[in-house]
Amino acid sequence: MRRKRHLAALTAGLTVTTLAVGAWSWFPGPGWPGEGWPPGPGHGREVDLQLLALNDFHGNIEAGDGLTYELDGEEVPAGGAEYLATHLDQAREGERFSTTVAAGDLIGASPFLSAAFGDEPTIESLNAMGVEVSSVGNHEFDKGIDDLQRHIEGENDYAGADFPYLGANVVDEETGEPVLDPYWIKKFRGGVKVGFIGMTLEGTGDIVAKSGIEGIEFLDEVETAERYADELTSQGVESIVVLLHEGGYPVEEDSGHECESLDGSGIGMSGPIVDIAEDMSPEVDMIVTGHTHQEYVCSVPDPAGHPRMVTSASSYGRVFTEIDATYDRRTKDIVRSSVTGSNTVVTRDVEADQTQSDLIDQYADEVEEIGDRTVGYIAEDITRGETRAEEFALGSLIADAQLARTSDPDLGGADIAFMNPGGVRADLLYDQGETGVVSYAELYSVQPFNNYLVTMDLTGEQILTLLQQQLPSEDRDSTLFLQVSEGFTYTWDTSLSGTDQIVADSLELNGEPIAMDRTYRVTVNSFLADGGDSFYVLAEGENRLFGEVDLVGLEAWFAENSTADDPVEAPGLGRVDVV
């Protein structure tokens, strides 16, 4: 089911067309070279191409209650591999020249069902739903290049991906040559060929753990596309699509994700993808993007001034993009003026795909054994607070674990860790299950969001601002009490008003005053790192290093710090002196 919207005519005489979410099509505007460009398709030489595109799936194979989409002002269930597969099959009906592609982050930061099996269920699900090629994203490197190669090549009984994972700008730092396939050519019947160049964002090396990517660097996206577009055209492949795990933001977020200014008077989006798209080789016919979890079907002019489609399909498999274009057999190229695109919501009012249902059921049965696995030991209940406006033991423990996992200079060099109270979803109870034993399922219930750890630079002044943002504001009507790691202390004086309640000269780290002009390394989860829960100052943090998933780090911390004979005790309260 597609949400239908109507776009008003933007030029005189343009027919108004009924379109799906984010629908878009070409029409002339400033910079259009006029008659004679692009070349006409010729008589009897046209082929109708279809591209179906995904991005940022993040292992969301289950149709969970948390997967929703705002459709006509109402939050409706959306996504789930069983329904995504059906929607893709329906979109392919009657299409002789169709391929399904993706723009990275298909795995990593995944829900329990996929994460518990190292994301193997997700790769098997994508195989079954017909994905034919994908770029890598930064999350494909969460566990390092070796684990990515395991997914590409398979291991033991695990066959790995049926589709190529492309990384044209992922290179050996000594040779400068790609360590993954840089491109893939889809060869349709009748000699029709389309080349796909796959890349992740150039900044990937700054947002994943360096230990997993030693000897690898990530090159400039524009220069890399130029190199491989030339290589493809030298092989007679003129139709070229870039799959790029980097993105942008639609200008009008509440306009149905349609990009404004499609008449050529401006660009209806912002973000890093705009500069990349404006500079990328005119040989590239369209760009499928991801990373920002946004939804758009936009026009960005190429260096020759010709309009070029740039798309993104939200996240978690709740949306997919359908792109239709004409291929000219004479020029062997996509006719730019023919390209149309739309985003379709993956509603659950269709029949579930049985292959996907069987796969999910199989892993759901097996995951129970994984959930029972012992990961640590506790000496007593370690619980949350009665509200989110207080210090509590389990929050302190999680902050301590996050600091321990990122304090090594190679893993972040953290000095302090903060944990948001809303991210702690359950208690660790001494008599729950086997006495004193913490199971994996119990630990997962505490931190189920699969956020990853982010270590960043903050000044002492920014840390003070962060603590002040715990207080109610126009963006949040309640207090949220950040849980802090051991060694960091300050005074919260409730007798004062406003932000003065956070006593500025009371902030200390290991007994030493926090200097307002000094830089400290601070670890938070990725939700907070983006300014979540109105902690906006965290979005200003610089020199970010993205580490492991928070649950992985917490499990490792328990393994290192608890035994049956020496179980973990609840941390004492009082790191924050509330007066």
Side-chain angles (χ1 to χ4, degrees):
M1 171 182 170
R2 300 183 185 180
R3 179 175 66 175
K4 305 290 185 179
R5 300 182 67 89
H6 294 271
L7 293 177
L10 298 175
T11 57
L14 180 68
T15 302
V16 177
T17 308
T18 303
L19 299 167
V21 175
W24 173 92
S25 58
W26 294 118
F27 46 84
W32 188 267
E35 187 174 356
W37 194 97
H43 298 291
R45 293 193 294 263
E46 296 180 355
V47 168
D48 294 328
L49 296 179
Q50 180 195 63
L51 272 66
L52 305 178
L54 312 172
N55 56 272
D56 297 276
F57 188 57
H58 289 291
N60 281 268
I61 59 176
E62 281 190 293
D65 294 338
L67 285 180
T68 62
Y69 183 93
E70 186 176 341
L71 191 59
D72 296 328
E74 179 183 356
E75 289 291 330
V76 299
E82 298 165 287
Y83 304 100
L84 175 58
T86 297
H87 276 278
L88 293 175
D89 281 343
Q90 290 178 347
R92 295 179 187 120
E93 289 180 4
E95 299 289 340
R96 298 176 59 213
F97 297 86
S98 178
T99 186
T100 301
V101 305
D105 275 10
L106 301 182
I107 58 176
S110 304
F112 183 39
L113 184 63
S114 184
F117 297 96
D119 276 325
E120 292 178 13
T122 293
I123 296 297
E124 293 177 3
S125 172
L126 295 167
N127 288 343
M129 72 176 66
V131 172
E132 290 195 279
V133 63
S134 178
S135 70
V136 292
N138 55 286
H139 277 287
E140 267 77 19
F141 296 92
D142 278 351
K143 296 182 181 179
I145 185 66
D146 291 342
D147 187 70
L148 174 58
Q149 292 288 5
R150 180 179 70 87
H151 286 297
I152 293 172
E153 300 171 4
E155 178 184 65
N156 300 325
D157 294 334
Y158 172 50
D162 291 343
F163 54 90
Y165 250 130
L166 306 180
N169 64 336
V170 183
V171 304
D172 184 301
E173 62 183 5
E174 292 186 1
T175 67
E177 293 302 309
V179 298
L180 303 170
D181 290 341
Y183 59 81
W184 175 74
I185 301 171
K186 172 66 177 181
K187 298 177 180 178
F188 294 99
R189 66 179 68 87
V192 174
K193 298 178 182 179
V194 180
F196 293 88
I197 301 169
M199 294 181 284
T200 185
L201 67 155
E202 182 183 7
T204 293
D206 298 322
I207 58 175
V208 300
K210 297 188 183 304
S211 59
I213 55 169
E214 290 182 5
I216 292 174
E217 61 180 330
F218 301 86
L219 302 184
D220 179 83
E221 303 94 338
V222 172
E223 294 175 2
T224 302
E226 178 87 25
R227 171 183 175 179
Y228 290 108
D230 289 346
E231 190 167 321
L232 284 166
T233 57
S234 71
Q235 298 178 41
V237 179
E238 300 292 341
S239 297
I240 300 172
V241 178
V242 162
L243 308 175
L244 174 58
H245 191 71
E246 177 63 289
Y249 305 87
V251 171
E252 297 293 336
E253 293 185 1
D254 297 323
S255 68
H257 311 286
E258 297 145 359
C259 286
E260 303 299 326
S261 303
L262 293 182
D263 60 350
S265 62
I267 297 172
M269 63 187 305
S270 62
I273 193 59
V274 176
D275 288 342
I276 293 171
E278 288 180 328
D279 292 339
M280 189 172 287
S281 169
E283 298 292 340
V284 175
D285 295 297
M286 63 187 75
I287 308 172
V288 176
T289 75
H291 189 55
T292 57
H293 291 204
Q294 298 296 305
E295 181 185 347
Y296 48 80
V297 180
C298 289
S299 171
V300 179
D302 68 18
H306 305 150
R308 178 164 56 193
M309 179 179 286
V310 180
T311 72
S312 178
S314 187
S315 60
Y316 308 142
R318 297 171 297 167
V319 170
F320 70 92
T321 305
E322 180 176 348
I323 302 169
D324 298 298
T326 297
Y327 176 94
D328 185 344
R329 292 181 187 272
R330 178 178 62 84
T331 63
K332 300 180 181 180
D333 206 355
I334 289 172
V335 180
R336 286 273 195 99
S337 60
S338 73
V339 180
T340 61
S342 61
N343 279 330
T344 298
V345 181
V346 179
T347 55
R348 298 181 191 162
D349 55 356
V350 297
E351 185 176 351
D353 180 90
Q354 191 60 51
T355 299
Q356 296 289 337
S357 298
D358 291 345
L359 184 148
I360 292 167
D361 289 344
Q362 170 195 337
Y363 280 106
D365 290 339
E366 295 179 19
V367 83
E368 291 185 17
E369 297 181 13
I370 294 175
D372 291 338
R373 175 169 54 84
T374 296
V375 297
Y377 302 88
I378 54 177
E380 57 188 316
D381 291 347
I382 307 178
T383 62
R384 298 166 292 169
E386 294 183 5
T387 72
R388 296 183 180 181
E390 60 188 297
E391 182 182 10
F392 54 84
L394 187 51
S396 297
L397 182 147
I398 291 171
D400 289 346
Q402 293 182 350
L403 177 61
R405 297 298 296 173
T406 58
S407 60
D408 185 293
D410 290 335
L411 298 176
D415 301 305
I416 309 166
F418 295 100
M419 179 62 193
N420 55 310
V424 186
R425 309 300 291 184
D427 300 323
L428 288 178
L429 302 177
Y430 182 72
D431 289 325
Q432 181 175 331
E434 187 177 349
T435 302
V437 171
V438 179
S439 71
Y440 184 75
E442 290 167 347
L443 205 63
Y444 186 87
S445 69
V446 171
Q447 286 196 288
F449 296 115
N450 285 281
N451 290 309
Y452 37 96
L453 301 183
V454 184
T455 306
M456 64 181 73
D457 285 350
L458 291 180
T459 64
E461 185 175 359
Q462 287 174 313
I463 292 173
L464 175 61
T465 299
L466 172 65
L467 299 177
Q468 293 170 338
Q469 289 177 347
Q470 297 175 108
L471 297 162
S473 66
E474 61 182 19
D475 296 319
R476 190 184 68 234
D477 59 7
S478 61
T479 294
L480 288 183
F481 200 115
L482 288 171
Q483 312 300 300
V484 304
S485 56
E486 187 174 16
F488 180 76
T489 59
Y490 68 96
T491 298
W492 188 324
D493 189 343
T494 58
S495 69
L496 301 176
S497 61
T499 58
D500 288 341
Q501 293 181 54
I502 309 301
V503 181
D505 60 5
S506 70
L507 277 62
E508 293 187 351
L509 178 61
N510 299 321
E512 295 292 328
I514 293 287
M516 293 296 106
D517 59 353
R518 178 182 161 186
T519 296
Y520 299 86
R521 294 291 284 167
V522 174
T523 293
V524 294
N525 62 46
S526 51
F527 168 73
L528 281 176
D530 291 335
D533 275 343
S534 301
F535 291 104
Y536 301 123
V537 69
L538 288 172
E540 301 173 7
E542 298 181 346
N543 296 323
R544 295 173 176 236
L545 178 66
F546 284 58
E548 62 197 352
V549 172
D550 52 10
L551 179 64
V552 173
L554 187 58
E555 180 184 358
W557 183 86
F558 264 97
E560 294 169 359
N561 292 277
S562 74
T563 66
D565 295 328
D566 186 19
V568 171
E569 297 181 353
L573 303 182
R575 298 176 183 183
V576 181
D577 183 19
V578 180
V579 296

